[in-house]
């Protein structure tokens, strides 16, 4: 069973930056899409960014466009979320997720369509 392990979360002031990492414990055969989700207290899980692993094509929800960048290092089975110009409303638990097979790869992809999940890493942005 492949495991995803996130790291890089923490506490930062508004305007600051963090880089989240998501490392897979092994190569994921059939992997097609990696995504980052977040969940703030009392709110549902929200897709933030996704990357089509075959060609590196990214997508972002509007609230993070221009501030967040999703990327991948295939040699390391690791994915990243660079977060700049952080805002208090970015405060949430962040999760990475992996999907196999064919289908849409977008931040709008339903969470139920992902096959593997990490345990989450907390990001807290103070005003």
């Amino acid at each position: 069973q492949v495991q995803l392990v996130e790291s890089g979360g923490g506490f930062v002031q508004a305007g600051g930056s963090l880089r989240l990492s998501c490392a897979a414990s092994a190569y994921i055969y059939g992997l097609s899409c990696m995504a980052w989700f977040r969940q703030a207290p009392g709110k549902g899980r929200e897709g933030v960014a996704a990357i089509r692993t075959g060609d590196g094509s990214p997508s972002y929800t509007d609230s993070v466009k221009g501030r967040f960048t999703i990327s991948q290092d295939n040699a390391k089975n690791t994915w990243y979320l660079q977060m700049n110009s952080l805002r208090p409303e970015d405060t949430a638990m962040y999760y990475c997720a992996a999907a196999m097979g064919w289908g849409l790869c977008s931040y709008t992809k339903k969470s139920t369509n992902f096959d593997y999940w990490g345990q989450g890493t907390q990001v807290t942005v103070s005003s």
Side-chain angles (χ1 to χ4, degrees), residues 34-117:
M34 290 292 295
W36 287 93
F37 288 78
R38 66 186 180 188
Q39 187 165 17
K43 295 188 177 181
R45 193 165 292 192
E46 171 193 24
V48 173
I51 187 166
R52 194 163 57 199
T53 56
D55 62 6
S57 177
S59 70
Y60 302 95
T61 191
D62 284 348
S63 63
V64 308
K65 278 182 181 177
R67 300 189 298 124
F68 291 11
T69 303
I70 189 171
S71 62
Q72 59 185 5
D73 185 334
N74 292 330
K76 296 181 178 179
N77 293 325
T78 301
W79 292 263
Y80 304 96
L81 186 68
Q82 178 68 44
M83 305 186 297
N84 298 328
S85 302
L86 282 162
R87 304 168 180 169
E89 54 263 40
D90 295 318
T91 295
M93 184 72 79
Y94 283 71
Y95 301 88
C96 65
M100 299 183 297
W102 300 102
L104 172 73
C105 184
S106 167
Y107 70 91
T108 61
K109 190 177 182 77
K110 291 182 179 180
S111 60
T112 52
N113 289 332
F114 285 84
D115 302 287
Y116 299 104
W117 287 85

